[in-house]
Amino acid sequence: MDALLLIAHGSRREASNDEVRELTRELVQKSKRKFSIVECAFLELAIPSIPEGVTICVQKGANSITVLPYFLSAGRHVAVDIPEELGKAMQLHPQLEIKVAPYLGSANEISSILVSLSKQAA
Amino acid sequence: MDALLLIAHGSRREASNDEVRELTRELVQKSKRKFSIVECAFLELAIPSIPEGVTICVQKGANSITVLPYFLSAGRHVAVDIPEELGKAMQLHPQLEIKVAPYLGSANEISSILVSLSKQAA
């Protein structure tokens, strides 16, 4: 089974983490043709951690995980920290296939969304 | 004249700030019907600051500015810090009209973009 794991930074403010969890629930609906499991995990400050999130997917039956970095820029978190955490997860689950999707900020559609938001200013 | 001011957090890593500047250049093209001026500013760690970004818009002839928070969650930065910085800018330019657009993470289209990114995983 294929799993999608949305990875966010994590915040001391629980409402921000809840926004990520809510988005994850939206993704369940929107990606159910491709992914039978959709979970989220946090780099720091919130749970589950990345290795914990991977383990949750495996316990639900995943043998392949697509990781989706919910980050705006290709900084240290995307380039170094997330791969490091995924490395820990792979030691726990050596048979697991892990693929990494491009981070959110790299999507071509971002500028169109910004234009659309600019029209909702008040 | 109407200006669009994209506000990002700012990073110690200059390449991340450059990603925001590059996105701002994209917005110039995509929003030119509505905004004759498009600039970016940073909450911290990079220049221009928010008051400086507002001043740049005013110097280019803006009498109305639409602020667009390039943030993923409605945390302290969006709720408190950006309004505080805009308050400073309004003291400098009391005649200026400032409107604030919804922050990026609140856009309905985000989950569809994530689904599309998940298909590009490698």
Side-chain angles (χ1 to χ4, degrees), chain A residues 5 21 39-44 46-54 56:
Chain A
L5 183 64
R21 295 179 184 119
E39 297 288 334
C40 63
F42 299 91
L43 182 59
E44 54 187 48
I47 53 170
S49 69
I50 295 174
E52 285 165 351
V54 169
I56 290 168

Side-chain angles (χ1 to χ4, degrees), chain A residues 7 50 54 67 81-90 98 100:
Chain A
I7 295 185
I50 295 174
V54 169
V67 165
D81 300 334
I82 291 178
E84 251 178 40
E85 292 299 308
L86 291 175
K88 292 179 200 168
M90 288 181 78
I98 298 187
V100 181

